[in-house]
Amino acid sequence: MRIAQLVRVHLGAVTVLFTLALSACLLVAGLPRAAQGSFDEALRGSLATAPAAQADLTVSVESRSPSGDLHQRSEFDFRDRRWREILPAPLRPLVTAPGHQSAKTVLTPITGTGGHTYINLGWLSDADQRVEYVQGRAPGKPSSMTYENATIPVFEVGITESALKEMQLQIGQTKVLGENDYVAVKIVGAFEAKDPGDRYWSHNLDILQVTKIQPPGKLDFEKHITTLIPDEGLAVLSSEGRNLGYHWILPVDPSEATALAAPDIDAAVADFDRAIQLQASGGGYHLQTGLPKLLALFLAALGTAQTVMYLVLGGLLAVALGVIALAVLLLGDRLDHTLTLARARGGSLRLVAGVAGGVTATAVLPAGLAGYGLSYLVPGPALPIVHLGPAVVVLVAVGFAAARAARTYRTPLHERREDVAATRPSARRITLEVLIVVLALAGAYLLRVRGLSGGDPFLLLVPVALTLAVALLTLRCYPYPLRLLVRLTARGRAAVPFLGLTRAARARSASVLPVLILLPALGVSVFAAVISDGITTTQRLASWEQVGAPIKLTSNIEISEATIDRVRALDGVEQVVIAQTGRVQVGYTAERAEAIAVDMAQWRHILAGAPIGLPALSDGALVSPDLRGRGTFDIGWQSRVKLATRGVIDSVPGFYTEGKFMIMPLDVLIRPAVNTLLIKGDVSLDALARLVPSATVESQERALSAIQDDPLTHAVRWTLLVVTVALAAYALVAVVLSLVVGAAERARAVSFLRTLGLSDRQAQRLTVLEILPMILVTALVGLGLGLLLPYALGPAVDLSSYAGDLPVGDYALDLFTPLALAAGLAAVAVLGAYAHTAISRRRNLGAVLRVGELT
């Protein structure tokens, strides 16, 4: 037989199969690429936004004797090259940019301050590229001076301009450092960072900022600052009598990171640390980095994203294959007369199966190649599924067509009357189906009880088993309520309800395939919609928890009343609630707690309609769990205040989530020093920032955008949306194809009945009653399965990484999507039934009745 001629004759069915195979191959190859590309983007964003001190690799050593001191830049360069040579292979793509080296002392007190003020000495290999002097001059060669009858070195140093004021120092001033082995520093210049926002300064914050430390049990703070010395000072800098450390910074390039390589980095970092300890002469070298921790957090979020995506993409592939099988079934029905005649004339079974497979391959093979090629337009790496997915689609379609033909035409002539009586299932089949249902229920129970450990494939099997179990139960139970309805309608005088429901109850075995397609299609699409809606709801809650008000303005200094009045006068401002925050003394001890003084009634008013709330408070204080049970507090803030405990609050939205904290009424303070404004209204954040330059402005909408715009979160929600739409489309296609597959047999039956006086209106009602029960039952069961899956899988899937670190567990029952899908399927079924009867009405009854007869 000529396959090309058969393709031309049945071009409509071939085109449908080509279109479905093309869409399936494009989705199965393109979505994983897009998802993996989003994973890579998320990892790069995570590394780029993390402090460089965490992401970069820092090799450090503490010099314990003058013999181990480094005095020349070349000594640092030599070791830098050595560290790069022994980098493990997984780290080499990440560490390509040049780094920098430093030498710093720590805990170097100013003589005579009793250990309250420290000036450390620091050398940066690229200081001339990073800072510029705004006062005085750059430091030069060290000199010497006599102190307590001994000659000590004097280092010329530069200091950040802000530290001059904070530590009450002056240019030209000389300070002696140490308690026994003394050195002196002469401040000759003040500098500023050329780019204070550069990630580089994450490694050297001690140079830009004064560090304040409150020793345990003390009320006063220690102040620490690191000054800069030149290369000439490095030659004199010694570890004798002071704590001196050397550091080599190997910067990690976030743009070279990939999610696929991330699991290997942890082991590579450990190997690098061991290699450093073995290779370095003198010992004491070790690796400092937070890269494994950053990757662990990312991989935890990635694992959840991959799990969710594997579930929905697996469901999408299964549904796509089912719809393609329906299309193959449609094409097989179109070839039925030709293949039956060929078999009756002596054609071999191999020939018949080969023709069916060849015609199918003519449609799906070009579609697979086209879908595979189009997937390369999607940005992202080519995973194994990108290559295997289209091949699986093509092989399943061709294999199903050939196997069906071999089974159908195994005898030269075949007569099928599956619409007359249903075959009784074998004991082996019943046992297998019962086993599947039991295993699915046991798996769901165990998943609810014990959760899921990372990498456990059990999670992927439970949804599949549940879907299969529900499908089997639906297929087994579906005919019984219909038979009951048939008995009820048999007592009536109208023939159409009886005939329509009878044909539905005796549907041919091919109707099983639409059920197996619609169930996972609706189940997975509703599951994806519910998960996406749960993430969206929790994201909104997290944004309110982070900010605590529509707009929050916090200042590090007091906000004057005149400024507050100007804020109230801005266009769009509806209400302003003033508050004061700070650390308070608890009792007369060194214990400290965070506190906020605010008019709680006004704050509760601006939170009206928000997903968060606050308890009422008129007097006393609300305290954190760490402060519960203490009765009345004696608080030291601006003055001594006594407050009775009025309740316990786990967190204060926008302010405190853990530790010791309390909320008190604003009027307990004699003169509030307002440093926080809670604002309601539609006002420009930039205008507020310009009005209060010392303040940081946050908004709930901006916080929500930051959560939603996270690359990993965006990838999960985008994939869920695409899969939901694709599955809904496949479900509708399955309904249409199920109508078309049985169209010939249905037209023949309606034509017989029309010869007996069946009117066109009755024919329409008959067709609707035959089709609609299967659609409605399957739709309702599939929707119920989709609504159940989030609760069944809830303990095993942690979605907090995509919802502002809040657990996603409150899946509100939003019936819009389920009802829309059910209504769409029902509407398509009804319209298809009416279209079918309209087409059948135009056919010649004699021609229809002769279709398929071989006598």
Side-chain angles (χ1 to χ4, degrees):
M1 282 182 281
R2 298 180 180 179
I3 293 178
Q5 184 176 0
L6 291 175
V7 170
R8 287 195 299 270
V9 172
H10 305 290
L11 188 59
V14 170
T15 302
V16 171
L17 182 57
F18 173 86
T19 303
L20 292 175
L22 174 63
S23 65
C25 292
L26 179 57
L27 287 172
V28 78
L31 281 179
R33 287 180 68 103
Q36 194 63 42
S38 298
F39 295 159
D40 292 345
E41 183 183 353
L43 174 58
R44 291 161 187 166
S46 175
L47 295 179
T49 55
Q54 286 186 296
D56 294 344
L57 307 175
T58 302
V59 182
S60 301
V61 65
E62 183 179 349
S63 181
R64 295 185 174 87
S65 66
S67 62
D69 293 344
L70 305 179
H71 297 296
Q72 302 294 328
R73 179 186 288 267
S74 59
E75 297 178 279
F76 285 88
D77 294 339
F78 172 78
R79 286 165 174 77
D80 181 73
R81 290 192 298 270
R82 184 57 182 162
W83 307 146
R84 293 174 183 272
E85 288 173 358
I86 62 175
L87 274 172
L91 291 176
R92 289 184 179 177
L94 301 179
V95 183
T96 56
H100 72 278
Q101 302 85 45
S102 66
K104 297 178 183 178
T105 66
V106 295
L107 298 177
T108 311
I110 298 178
T111 304
T113 61
H116 288 91
T117 309
Y118 296 81
I119 295 181
N120 299 309
L121 302 174
W123 170 82
L124 297 179
S125 60
D126 55 354
D128 56 334
Q129 304 173 25
R130 300 293 181 175
V131 303
E132 59 181 355
Y133 283 85
V134 295
Q135 294 185 41
R137 61 177 175 84
K141 294 181 179 180
S143 58
S144 61
M145 64 177 284
T146 301
Y147 182 77
E148 293 188 351
N149 300 321
T151 301
I152 62 173
V154 179
F155 292 89
E156 289 190 355
V157 300
I159 190 171
T160 181
E161 190 177 30
S162 60
L164 285 176
K165 301 176 182 178
E166 193 164 353
M167 301 189 69
Q168 299 179 355
L169 299 173
Q170 297 178 359
I171 294 178
Q173 200 173 25
T174 300
K175 292 287 186 179
V176 178
L177 309 179
E179 299 296 342
N180 42 38
D181 292 317
Y182 301 106
V183 297
V185 295
K186 182 179 181 181
I187 303 174
V188 298
F191 62 81
E192 289 182 347
K194 293 182 178 179
D195 183 6
D198 195 319
R199 298 178 72 245
Y200 167 94
W201 290 109
S202 172
H203 294 282
N204 303 293
L205 283 177
D206 57 321
I207 292 177
L208 285 189
Q209 301 175 3
V210 175
T211 304
K212 296 180 180 180
I213 301 175
Q214 185 179 24
K218 294 184 179 181
L219 299 178
D220 296 329
F221 287 87
E222 295 177 356
K223 294 182 178 181
H224 299 251
I225 190 64
T226 300
T227 57
L228 284 181
I229 63 174
D231 288 359
E232 294 86 352
L234 182 63
V236 181
L237 186 62
S238 172
S239 62
E240 188 173 0
R242 58 194 54 85
N243 303 311
L244 175 61
Y246 301 118
H247 313 278
W248 289 262
I249 313 300
L250 306 179
V252 169
D253 185 1
S255 64
E256 297 298 328
T258 62
L260 291 176
D264 300 328
I265 301 248
D266 191 12
V269 169
D271 292 341
F272 186 40
D273 192 13
R274 287 192 294 269
I276 288 171
Q277 298 176 31
L278 294 174
Q279 294 290 331
S281 60
Y285 288 84
H286 61 280
L287 180 64
Q288 295 176 333
T289 181
L291 186 60
K293 183 177 181 181
L294 291 174
L295 292 177
L297 294 174
F298 170 77
L299 290 175
L302 176 64
T304 302
Q306 289 176 328
T307 299
V308 173
M309 289 188 177
Y310 289 156
L311 286 174
V312 296
L313 290 178
L316 177 62
L317 177 60
V319 171
L321 291 177
V323 175
I324 289 174
L326 263 181
V328 172
L329 195 62
L330 172 63
L331 181 59
D333 286 349
R334 295 293 185 269
L335 295 172
D336 180 70
H337 185 73
T338 302
L339 297 181
T340 300
L341 186 60
R343 188 77 171 114
R345 291 179 175 179
S348 66
L349 192 60
R350 179 180 298 179
L351 173 65
V352 171
V355 170
V359 175
T360 303
T362 304
V364 297
L365 186 57
L369 293 175
Y372 177 72
L374 290 174
S375 70
Y376 277 84
L377 300 177
V378 180
L383 302 173
I385 186 62
V386 174
H387 310 299
L388 294 177
V392 168
V393 172
V394 172
L395 291 177
V396 168
V398 175
F400 177 70
R404 178 182 178 276
R407 181 178 181 276
T408 303
Y409 304 103
R410 59 185 181 275
T411 56
L413 294 177
H414 58 282
E415 290 291 337
R416 299 185 303 275
R417 291 299 306 274
E418 296 178 2
D419 60 321
V420 174
T423 58
R424 185 181 298 276
S426 64
R428 181 180 302 176
R429 181 174 178 180
I430 293 177
T431 303
L432 178 61
E433 292 177 356
V434 171
L435 180 62
I436 291 174
V437 173
V438 171
L439 290 177
L441 293 176
Y445 173 76
L446 291 176
L447 196 60
R448 291 287 302 177
V449 171
R450 71 173 179 83
L452 185 74
S453 58
D456 194 338
F458 189 48
L459 176 64
L460 300 179
L461 298 178
V462 170
V464 173
L466 282 175
T467 302
L468 184 58
V470 172
L472 291 175
L473 290 173
T474 303
L475 290 175
R476 288 296 172 213
C477 299
Y478 165 73
Y480 297 107
L482 287 183
R483 291 174 185 174
L484 179 60
L485 291 176
V486 168
R487 291 186 179 181
L488 293 177
T489 55
R491 298 177 182 180
R493 301 183 61 182
V496 171
F498 172 75
L499 291 174
L501 293 176
T502 300
R503 286 184 56 80
R506 296 179 176 181
R508 53 179 293 195
S509 60
S511 63
V512 171
L513 194 54
V515 173
L516 295 178
I517 294 170
L518 290 177
L519 265 175
L522 290 171
V524 175
S525 61
V526 173
F527 166 75
V530 171
I531 288 290
S532 180
D533 184 67
I535 292 176
T536 301
T537 302
T538 310
Q539 285 175 340
R540 182 170 178 266
L541 174 62
S543 66
W544 280 99
E545 290 280 3
Q546 289 179 12
V547 182
I551 300 174
K552 183 178 68 174
L553 186 149
T554 55
S555 173
N556 53 7
I557 61 176
E558 182 179 354
I559 304 173
S560 66
E561 292 186 9
T563 302
I564 296 174
D565 291 338
R566 286 195 293 269
V567 170
R568 287 194 172 104
L570 283 176
D571 292 337
V573 174
E574 299 178 19
Q575 184 179 357
V576 176
V577 179
I578 61 175
Q580 179 180 345
T581 62
R583 287 177 62 86
V584 300
Q585 182 184 16
V586 181
Y588 291 90
T589 67
E591 185 179 10
R592 294 290 188 273
E594 302 292 339
I596 175 172
V598 65
D599 187 327
M600 187 68 81
Q602 294 185 26
W603 192 2
R604 285 160 54 89
H605 183 264
I606 68 172
L607 291 179
I612 60 174
L614 291 167
L617 178 67
S618 58
D619 63 343
L622 299 174
V623 301
S624 66
D626 291 350
L627 296 176
R628 77 167 74 215
R630 300 194 187 185
T632 300
F633 288 87
D634 193 324
I635 302 300
W637 204 349
Q638 296 172 329
S639 60
R640 305 305 301 187
V641 179
K642 288 189 176 182
L643 298 169
T645 301
R646 298 303 184 195
V648 178
I649 186 170
D650 294 328
S651 64
V652 182
F655 294 92
Y656 318 118
T657 58
E658 59 184 11
K660 300 176 181 179
F661 56 84
M662 60 180 61
I663 308 177
M664 63 186 71
L666 187 65
D667 56 15
V668 304
L669 301 179
I670 297 175
R671 193 196 70 81
V674 177
N675 57 7
T676 301
L677 302 179
L678 306 175
I679 304 169
K680 179 180 181 181
D682 185 11
V683 60
S684 169
L685 302 186
D686 294 334
L688 288 172
R690 287 192 300 267
L691 200 57
V692 191
S694 62
T696 300
V697 183
E698 303 172 75
S699 74
Q700 179 268 330
E701 292 183 355
R702 181 177 291 180
L704 180 60
S705 297
I707 295 173
Q708 294 177 339
D709 292 343
D710 176 75
L712 206 56
T713 302
H714 180 72
V716 171
R717 295 191 65 204
W718 179 83
T719 302
L720 290 176
L721 176 62
V722 171
V723 170
T724 301
V725 173
L727 287 174
Y730 276 135
L732 295 177
V733 171
V735 173
V736 174
L737 287 179
S738 66
L739 290 171
V740 177
V741 166
E745 181 182 345
R746 195 176 301 110
R748 187 168 182 270
V750 170
S751 298
F752 270 120
L753 293 174
R754 286 177 62 190
T755 61
L756 300 177
L758 187 72
S759 67
D760 290 341
R761 185 182 298 271
Q762 289 175 322
Q764 291 173 344
R765 291 171 53 197
L766 176 67
T767 306
V768 169
L769 286 174
E770 177 186 349
I771 296 170
L772 203 56
M774 184 270 292
I775 299 296
L776 291 180
V777 171
T778 307
L780 291 175
V781 174
L783 295 175
L785 176 65
L787 295 174
L788 175 66
L789 281 178
Y791 297 96
L793 306 180
V797 182
D798 181 13
L799 299 171
S800 60
S801 301
Y802 319 115
D805 294 328
L806 289 184
V808 180
D810 184 16
Y811 299 107
L813 187 60
D814 183 5
L815 295 179
F816 175 77
T817 300
L819 291 177
L821 289 173
L825 291 177
V828 169
V830 173
L831 291 176
Y834 277 94
H836 172 265
T837 53
I839 294 174
S840 300
R841 186 169 58 247
R842 294 195 299 267
R843 294 177 177 174
N844 182 277
L845 293 183
V848 172
L849 294 179
R850 286 196 299 270
V851 171
E853 297 189 11
L854 303 176
T855 57

